[in-house]
Amino acid sequence: MGERARIWALYGDGLRPMQRGLERSFERARKERATADRPGIAAIHDWRKRLK
């Protein structure tokens, strides 16, 4: 476990403690999807790799 993860404190149940981070991740993925709109399978493949 990384140093930052050792000091994390999660409060609440379910996904609520992670909601802000998930929202940022999804927004970044939506913005980066625009770069995958250029023609070519390679662009889409690169976008999918970043999502993982």
Side-chain angles (χ1 to χ4, degrees):
M1 184 180 299
E3 286 298 316
R4 286 180 34 196
R6 290 182 189 168
I7 61 170
W8 289 349
L10 299 176
Y11 302 101
D13 295 325
L15 293 177
R16 189 174 185 110
M18 298 183 292
Q19 182 175 351
R20 185 171 153 218
L22 290 171
E23 287 172 350
R24 284 189 298 200
S25 294
F26 286 135
E27 182 61 28
R28 186 175 59 232
R30 280 191 290 273
K31 287 179 181 178
E32 290 179 357
R33 175 64 176 97
T35 65
D37 282 340
R38 64 182 193 267
I41 294 174
I44 294 172
H45 178 70
D46 288 341
W47 175 70
R48 289 184 67 230
K49 286 192 302 186
R50 283 193 302 271
L51 290 179
K52 291 180 179 185

